[in-house]
Amino acid sequence: MALMMVAMMSQRLPLTVVALFCLLMVHPALGQWKDVGYRIGAGEANRIHGPEGFFTAVRPKAGPWTFSAGLANRFANLSGETIEVYSADTVSFQDYHADSGNAGMSSHLALSIRLSEPVKSAVWDIGNHGVNISAGAELAARYSTDGKTWKDAFVYPRDGRPEDFDPSPVTLAFDKPTSVLYVGWFATVPKDQVAWWNMGSSGNFTFTPVREGTPAAAEGAAPAPTVPLFGSRSIPNAFFGTTTHVNNEGDIKALQSLNIRTVRVDYAWVGFNPARGQYVFPPDMWFIRSFDLGIERGLDQLPVLNIPPEWAVGERGTWPNDESLGELEEAVFRMASKYKGKITHWEASNEPNMALWRERYIVFLKAFYKGIKRADPNNKVVLAGFAGVEHLQLDAAYRHGAKDYFDILNSHSYTRPQLPEPGGYVGKIRALRDVMRKYGDDKPLWVTEMGFNGVEPSMLEYCRAKYEGHRAYSCTEEDQARGLARMYLISAAIPWIERVYFFQLSQAAGYTDVVADCDAYMGLVTPGWMEGQSRPKDAYFAVKTVIKMLDQSTYKEKLDLGSRIWALAFQREKDAFLALWSLDEDVVMQLKDASAIQSVLSMVGTPILMSGNTLKLSGRPIYLVVDRDKLEALELQVRQAQFTGKKDFEVTLGLDAQKTQPGKPVVCVGVTNTSSLPKPMPTVTVTAESPWTVEAGKIDGGLVVPPGEERRFFLIIGGPATGDGEVVFKAVAAWVDGSAECGIERPIHYLTVPPKPAEFKRDGKLGPWKAFRPIVLGLSPARREMADWKGPSDCSANCYLAWDERNLYFAAEVADDVHCQPVDGGQADQMWQHDSVQIGIDVGGDAKPSSNVPQYDGTNDYEIGFGLSQSAGPIAWLWANPKGNPAAVRLDNGTIVRDEAAKMTRYDIAVPWSLLGLTGSPAGKWMGLNITVNDDDGRGRKGALQWTPGMIFNKDPSQFPKILFSPTSERK
C-alpha cells in the first residue's frame, strides 16, 4: 500500500478543565422525608454519601460537552440535598437506588441540581424504574426551577402490578433561563393503597446553555483558588524520621550518628489487652521496653497500633468487631494515659486496605480517636498510611466519615523502584492535597513510609531473575541513596509536609542473604557484615549528609532551570547552600564566577574539587555552600550558567486516537522543551520495525519552542492489513540534543473491538468467540512476569473483547495446570493473589505518557477482577473507580468455569457500561484497557501474564493499550 506521512504540528490547544464537586443532601424546603423510612442500596443506616470524587470536564470552544458522574448506594434517611454540576451538558447519576412503600402518606425524593451557568432548556431521559402503584395511588416524576412550583414530567400508569416503565425522553419547559433545577418523584398513597418505586438511576439530563463559549461561573460558586505546593518554610530536626519498629541500643547509636530523634515504632493491642477487661503493662514486655528506652533517650516516638486479640477480630479480618469497640477505646486510653506527656502522637494502625476495611476502618478510627483524646486532649492522632493508589484510598476514608477523627494526614508515597521525580512523588503528594481540599480539610501531612530496596548491582540482577517481586521494587544501592536524598530535599520544599520517616533504619536480611522478600533489603545498614557489626550502605551517608545540610535551615526557593535540573536554595542565620542535581548524567555546569562558593559537598558528604568554574551534575545531589549574604549572587550565577550534556527536549511516542482508523495507526510524536529558555527544536527521526514502516518519518527541527511547552506531530504508519485484530508495532524515535544522541522506543498496541457475537450465550464454552482473533498472553516474554514459567500449559491465555449498547464483553481461555483460588466472596478483593483475571480500564482514554502520574486518576479509571472461588464459585471485585469506592460486583451477566480434564479455566463475562460510568453507545469511542492474568499453583501467587505493563507493579494507564469500539453495533 502507498505510505503516507503527515508532519502536522498541532496548535497548542487551550483546554478548559473544570472541576466538578458534588455533595448529596435533601433540600431543606423538601424535608418531608424525616419520618419516612426508605432504602438506598445496602450500607449504614442514617448516613448519605454523595457523588464521590473530583471530576473534570474539558469543554471545546463551542458546542455541547458531556460529563457523567455516579452516586454511591447507601442506606439513609435524607434531610436535604444538593448536587452541583459545573459546566455539564449531559449529566447521569447512576446506581441511585431508592424504595418507598408507605400507605396513607404523601412522600417524595427530590434532587436539586445547581449548574455553573444558566440553561434555557433541558431534556430529561428519566430512565427505567420498577414501580407498583395501585389504582387509588399516584406516582409522578416532576421538575421545578424554584423548589416550590412543580410540573409533571411523567405520571406513571396505575394498574396494581409491579412493572418496569421506561418513559420516552421529556423536554422540560422553563419560564426563563435557570441555573438551578429540581427533579423528583412524588407519591400520594391513600390508606389501604400501595405505591412504591425502585429507581436504578435518576436518568440523564441534557442541558442547552444560554450562550456558547467559555462557561460562566455559577452564582455564589467561585472555584477554589489554586494553592502552590512549594513554598518557604523552616525545617526543624523533627522533620527527619525513620522506622525502627522496636527501639534498641544498636539502633539508637545509629540514630544519634544520623542526628534523628523522630522514630516510628510498633506496639500490639493483644500484648496489653489479652482478655476483655484485662489491661497489663509489665516493664519487660517488648513494646513497653521499647517505649521506655525511647523516652529515656529523648526520642520523639510515633507508635503504630497493630496485632489485635483474636476475640476482637471481625469479618474480613477487620477489627475491632462490634462487641469490642468499647474495649479498644479503653485499651488505647489506658496506654496513652500511661505515657501522657511523654508520647503525644499515635498512629491509627498501618495500611488498612480500604477495599477490605471500607467503613470498618472509620469504626476503628472513631474508637481509637476517642481513647487517645480522652487520655490527653493535646494528643494528636495520625491517620493510617494507605497502600496502593493513596488518593483513592484517602477519598474513601473521607467519604466514610474520617475527617473529624484525625489530626495529621499520613502518606506512604512509594515510587520504587523509580526515583522520586520520574516516579511521580510530587504528583502523589499533590493528589492527596487535592482530596483534602475537596473535603474542606487543611491538616498537615506526615510521610511515614517512603524508601527504596537497595541491593548491590550483581545481586540485584540475580534477585530480579529469581524472584518476581524484585523486578517490581528493588534498585541498586546507588539509586537507594539518590532516592532518599532527593526525597528529603523535595519534601523540604513543600511546607505542607511536616515530617518524613524513611523506611527503614535497619535492613532485615544480611548483605549476602538471598531472600524472596525484597522489602528485606530496605534499610540503611545491613546486619551480619562482620561478626557483631553491621555495614552502612551509601544511603546511610546520603541521609546523614542531607540531614546535616537541612537541619534548622529555611527553604527559600526553587530556581527555574527547566524540569531536568533541580536547584533548591536553603539558608540559615549565617550560611546558605544550593542543592543541585540533574535527571541526566554527566551534565557540566559552567559558571562565569564561582568566587562566592565556599565549598562543594557530594551526596555522601565528601568534598568535591571544582575545576575552574565548572561542576559536574548528575542524579547525585551536590551542595554548594556560601555565606548567607552571598546566596543571591550564587543564585544569579547558576541561573546564568551554561549547561552542556543536559537534555533540553523530551520526546514521547503514543497512538493518536483521533486520527487512527482500524488497521491504520497514526503515531503522535510529542516534543517538549524541558529547559527554562526558548529553544530551537531538534530534528526527530521516527521509524517503525518491519513490517511496519514510516514514509519520510523525519520531523525537521529549528522551530523555537517556549519553555515547558509541547509541540505535537502526527505520523501515519503503513503496514499489513489487520482487520479487527490486535495491532502491535514498535515506534522508534532518534534525535540529537546538544551533543547527546538520544533515542526512545515504544511498543504500541491497539485493538478494534467488534460487536458481540449474535449467538453469545455466556455459558463458558466460548464457542462463538472462536471467530475472533485473540489477544495472546504468556507466549512472549514481554507479556510475562513469572520467574518460574514452565511453558504454555503452566499459564497462558487467549483473551477476547466485544461490545454492545449495554455491556463490555470479556472472554478468556486460560491454560493453567493447577487452579487455585481459595478466597471466598467476603475476601474477593484478595483474589489477585491467586488464579484470577484483572482488567484495568481508562474509560476516557486520556492518560498520556508525557503527563501521567503513574496511578489511577480518580476521574475515569477503573480496575475490576474476576475469579473462580473454590468455595463460592464465580466472584468479582471492583478495586478502583472514580468514587474511590471498592466493592464486590455481582456477576449477573457472566460465568467462569473450570475444565479440569483440559486444564482450562474459561471466563465469559459481561461488564455493564453503567458500572464504568458510561452512558450511551460506545461506538467509535477510544479507551485504554489492559489485562492481567494471575497464576497460583497452590503456593501463593508466583507471577502474572500481562497485555502490557501498567497494572502488575504499578497502576499506570498511560501504558495501557488503546481500544477502539467499531463504529457500528452490527456484527459483520
Side-chain angles (χ1 to χ4, degrees):
M1 61 182 289
L3 302 179
M4 299 178 61
M5 173 264 197
V6 181
M8 300 162 45
M9 184 189 75
S10 74
Q11 298 298 319
R12 192 165 182 263
L13 298 177
L15 300 180
T16 304
V17 180
V18 187
L20 293 107
F21 176 69
C22 305
L23 174 66
L24 185 61
M25 305 176 292
V26 169
H27 194 273
L30 310 175
Q32 300 177 10
W33 276 98
K34 61 182 180 181
D35 297 320
V36 180
Y38 64 95
R39 180 175 62 82
I40 299 184
E44 188 174 344
N46 299 315
R47 178 174 298 163
I48 187 72
H49 299 279
E52 287 103 277
F54 267 125
F55 305 96
T56 58
V58 178
R59 179 176 180 172
K61 292 181 179 179
W65 69 111
T66 301
F67 166 71
S68 175
L71 303 182
N73 301 330
R74 296 280 174 238
F75 183 82
N77 289 326
L78 292 177
S79 60
E81 85 57 34
T82 230
I83 297 174
E84 295 184 7
V85 180
Y86 282 73
S87 301
D89 173 71
T90 300
V91 183
S92 172
F93 303 112
Q94 293 293 329
D95 298 329
Y96 195 112
H97 296 282
D99 291 347
S100 179
N102 299 278
M105 294 192 68
S106 294
S107 57
H108 66 262
L109 174 66
L111 310 175
S112 169
I113 305 172
R114 185 157 63 111
L115 296 126
S116 61
E117 62 178 301
V119 296
K120 55 188 177 183
S121 65
V123 175
W124 186 10
D125 186 356
I126 297 171
N128 190 337
H129 303 305
V131 297
N132 185 3
I133 312 164
S134 62
E138 181 180 89
L139 173 62
R142 296 174 180 164
Y143 67 99
S144 171
T145 58
D146 60 8
K148 299 176 183 178
T149 303
W150 291 82
K151 298 180 180 180
D152 288 344
F154 180 76
V155 177
Y156 289 80
R158 292 175 286 185
D159 58 9
R161 294 183 297 108
E163 289 190 10
D164 287 348
F165 288 93
D166 189 359
S168 299
V170 179
T171 299
L172 307 184
F174 304 148
D175 295 332
K176 60 181 179 179
T178 183
S179 58
V180 178
L181 177 64
Y182 301 92
V183 296
W185 286 261
F186 290 69
T188 300
V189 191
K191 188 176 181 180
D192 299 326
Q193 296 293 313
V194 174
W196 61 258
W197 63 87
N198 186 339
M199 291 179 293
S201 167
S202 66
N204 298 334
F205 299 87
T206 300
F207 301 102
T208 303
V210 172
R211 60 174 183 164
E212 298 290 347
T214 303
E219 182 179 353
T226 300
V227 178
L229 201 59
F230 293 85
S232 179
R233 57 89 57 87
S234 60
I235 304 161
N237 182 260
F239 177 77
F240 310 98
T242 187
T243 295
T244 58
H245 298 292
V246 180
N247 294 318
N248 59 64
E249 293 290 355
D251 282 350
I252 288 176
K253 288 181 180 179
L255 292 171
Q256 290 171 339
S257 174
L258 291 166
N259 193 23
I260 293 177
R261 292 181 52 254
T262 304
V263 296
R264 184 168 173 258
V265 292
D266 299 327
Y267 69 116
W269 181 11
V270 66
F272 63 99
N273 188 192
R276 298 184 189 277
Q278 181 181 352
Y279 309 97
V280 294
F281 303 97
D284 61 344
M285 187 174 294
W286 62 271
F287 53 82
I288 298 296
R289 289 201 313 267
S290 172
F291 287 171
D292 291 345
L293 181 60
I295 292 168
E296 178 186 335
R297 298 305 175 88
L299 299 181
D300 183 348
Q301 301 177 82
L302 174 62
V304 186
L305 182 65
N306 53 41
I307 313 178
E310 288 186 8
W311 46 263
V313 177
E315 294 182 1
R316 308 187 304 270
T318 62
W319 45 276
N321 52 35
D322 289 341
E323 296 77 20
S324 306
L325 273 173
E327 198 75 36
L328 172 64
E329 180 183 338
E330 183 66 20
V332 297
F333 162 73
R334 297 200 180 201
M335 176 63 79
S337 297
K338 174 177 173 60
Y339 291 103
K340 182 176 181 179
K342 299 176 181 178
I343 298 177
T344 57
H345 295 89
W346 301 83
E347 185 173 345
S349 192
N350 180 63
E351 295 190 353
N353 183 344
M354 292 303 291
L356 181 67
W357 280 70
R358 300 192 292 279
E359 68 277 0
R360 290 306 302 182
Y361 178 67
I362 311 307
V363 172
F364 160 85
L365 182 63
K366 288 181 179 179
F368 183 88
Y369 182 89
K370 291 175 182 177
I372 295 296
K373 292 290 187 177
R374 184 155 61 95
D376 186 348
N378 294 319
N379 282 340
K380 302 295 183 184
V381 171
V382 181
L383 190 70
F386 298 115
V389 184
E390 278 197 291
H391 71 283
L392 296 183
Q393 302 263 23
L394 179 63
D395 193 278
Y398 272 109
R399 185 182 64 256
H400 287 298
K403 179 180 178 181
D404 295 329
Y405 298 96
F406 70 95
D407 303 293
I408 297 166
L409 178 62
N410 195 342
S411 174
H412 291 182
S413 42
Y414 287 105
T415 64
R416 57 186 182 174
Q418 295 190 81
L419 296 184
E421 305 88 344
Y425 178 70
V426 173
K428 292 172 186 286
I429 298 297
R430 191 182 301 278
L432 293 175
R433 181 70 163 172
D434 287 344
V435 172
M436 289 196 76
R437 294 183 67 225
K438 164 187 171 181
Y439 288 95
D441 209 353
D442 195 29
K443 297 184 177 83
L445 170 70
W446 289 8
V447 178
T448 67
E449 285 192 25
M450 186 5 183
F452 301 88
N453 311 57
V455 180
E456 191 273 334
S458 61
M459 188 174 179
L460 174 64
E461 182 181 4
Y462 179 84
C463 288
R464 281 183 170 172
K466 187 173 178 64
Y467 302 114
E468 177 201 10
H470 284 273
R471 290 195 292 279
Y473 301 119
S474 296
C475 63
T476 63
E477 288 191 14
E478 168 70 16
D479 276 352
Q480 180 189 25
R482 293 181 180 205
L484 289 175
R486 283 151 56 172
M487 174 197 68
Y488 266 120
L489 289 167
I490 293 170
S491 300
I494 302 175
W496 183 47
I497 300 179
E498 280 193 348
R499 295 187 181 186
V500 178
Y501 297 72
F502 67 84
F503 194 91
Q504 57 189 344
L505 180 63
S506 298
Q507 187 167 297
Y511 180 67
T512 57
D513 293 341
V514 179
V515 295
D517 181 10
C518 58
D519 284 359
Y521 298 104
M522 299 188 78
L524 305 191
V525 294
T526 67
W529 178 244
M530 296 176 64
E531 185 175 350
Q533 296 183 16
S534 58
R535 167 189 176 268
K537 298 156 76 172
D538 279 355
Y540 175 91
F541 299 103
V543 170
K544 182 180 179 70
T545 301
V546 78
I547 293 175
K548 177 182 177 181
M549 299 304 299
L550 291 177
D551 188 20
Q552 307 302 320
S553 71
T554 297
Y555 167 69
K556 180 174 179 281
E557 63 181 326
K558 180 179 185 292
L559 278 61
D560 184 7
L561 302 177
S563 61
R564 305 291 295 177
I565 294 181
W566 284 71
L568 304 178
F570 300 85
Q571 58 191 19
R572 295 188 185 84
E573 183 178 351
K574 295 182 179 180
D575 65 349
F577 65 93
L578 278 181
L580 277 162
W581 69 94
S582 169
L583 303 188
D584 302 312
E585 296 297 301
D586 300 321
V587 174
V588 176
M589 179 178 68
Q590 177 73 46
L591 301 172
K592 292 182 179 179
D593 182 3
S595 60
I597 300 175
Q598 287 184 346
S599 62
V600 183
L601 296 178
S602 75
M603 175 182 72
V604 294
T606 55
I608 293 177
L609 179 65
M610 289 191 67
S611 176
N613 291 337
T614 65
L615 279 169
K616 286 188 176 180
L617 304 182
S618 68
R620 296 169 61 92
I622 63 173
Y623 305 96
L624 280 59
V625 182
V626 296
D627 289 333
R628 176 170 174 148
D629 59 4
K630 299 290 183 63
L631 178 58
E632 289 189 4
L634 175 61
E635 289 180 309
L636 179 61
Q637 287 296 318
V638 171
R639 287 189 178 100
Q640 296 176 345
Q642 297 294 319
F643 294 91
T644 57
K646 174 177 68 73
K647 296 176 184 176
D648 290 328
F649 283 89
E650 178 183 68
V651 175
T652 59
L653 298 171
L655 188 76
D656 185 82
Q658 298 297 323
K659 296 178 174 57
T660 294
Q661 299 297 320
K664 298 179 180 179
V666 175
V667 169
C668 175
V669 183
V671 184
T672 302
N673 181 357
T674 61
S675 76
S676 59
L677 299 171
K679 295 280 185 177
M681 195 183 79
T683 295
V684 180
T685 301
V686 179
T687 56
E689 289 190 351
S690 178
W692 299 91
T693 56
V694 184
E695 182 178 316
K698 181 179 178 182
I699 301 170
D700 291 331
L703 175 72
V704 176
V705 181
E709 292 195 6
E710 180 187 54
R711 294 293 179 262
R712 295 180 182 179
F713 305 85
F714 303 94
L715 306 179
I716 297 177
I717 308 298
T722 58
D724 281 348
E726 180 189 9
V727 174
V728 183
F729 63 94
K730 183 181 291 184
V732 180
W735 70 100
V736 176
D737 198 343
S739 59
E741 294 185 0
C742 305
I744 60 167
E745 59 181 40
R746 176 168 178 149
I748 294 178
H749 302 249
Y750 78 96
L751 177 75
T752 303
V753 181
K756 71 164 186 175
E759 62 275 27
F760 180 69
K761 296 180 180 179
R762 297 190 299 276
D763 57 4
K765 296 181 180 179
L766 304 193
W769 291 96
K770 300 303 182 179
F772 289 65
R773 280 206 299 154
I775 304 163
V776 181
L777 305 185
L779 302 187
S780 166
R783 298 188 176 189
R784 192 171 62 240
E785 284 292 343
M786 201 174 294
D788 191 26
W789 188 70
K790 297 180 175 62
S793 62
D794 182 2
C795 188
S796 59
N798 289 338
C799 302
Y800 307 88
L801 295 169
W803 70 278
D804 66 13
E805 304 287 337
R806 294 182 178 274
N807 301 298
L808 169 68
Y809 296 93
F810 169 78
E813 188 172 56
V814 180
D816 185 8
D817 55 348
V818 177
H819 179 75
C820 181
Q821 182 50 266
V823 307
D824 58 24
Q827 300 173 312
D829 69 304
Q830 300 299 308
M831 74 170 76
W832 65 273
Q833 300 183 61
H834 313 284
D835 288 328
S836 57
V837 171
Q838 294 166 254
I839 302 175
I841 307 173
D842 170 22
V843 172
D846 54 1
K848 299 176 181 177
S850 59
S851 60
N852 190 59
V853 175
Q855 59 185 9
Y856 292 134
D857 62 9
T859 300
N860 55 37
D861 294 341
Y862 296 77
E863 185 175 318
I864 187 170
F866 311 99
L868 181 60
S869 168
Q870 291 154 216
S871 60
I875 55 177
W877 187 266
L878 184 67
W879 284 284
N881 65 358
K883 305 173 187 178
N885 186 25
V889 177
R890 292 178 57 182
L891 283 176
D892 294 332
N893 276 337
T895 187
I896 308 171
V897 299
R898 172 69 177 175
D899 184 341
E900 195 58 49
K903 300 296 182 183
M904 291 282 184
T905 307
R906 298 185 178 95
Y907 298 76
D908 210 346
I909 308 292
V911 180
W913 289 120
S914 59
L915 183 68
L916 305 177
L918 187 69
T919 59
S921 171
K925 293 182 181 294
W926 283 90
M927 296 183 188
L929 187 143
N930 209 348
I931 302 169
T932 295
V933 176
N934 301 300
D935 188 32
D936 176 7
D937 286 345
R939 297 183 298 276
R941 183 177 184 271
K942 73 172 188 177
L945 313 179
Q946 60 182 354
W947 191 359
T948 67
M951 281 183 67
I952 296 179
F953 298 139
N954 58 13
K955 306 301 182 182
D956 186 358
S958 74
Q959 299 189 64
F960 287 10
K962 299 293 186 184
I963 60 174
L964 169 65
F965 294 92
S966 56
T968 174
S969 60
E970 296 180 3
R971 175 74 177 149
K972 296 181 180 179

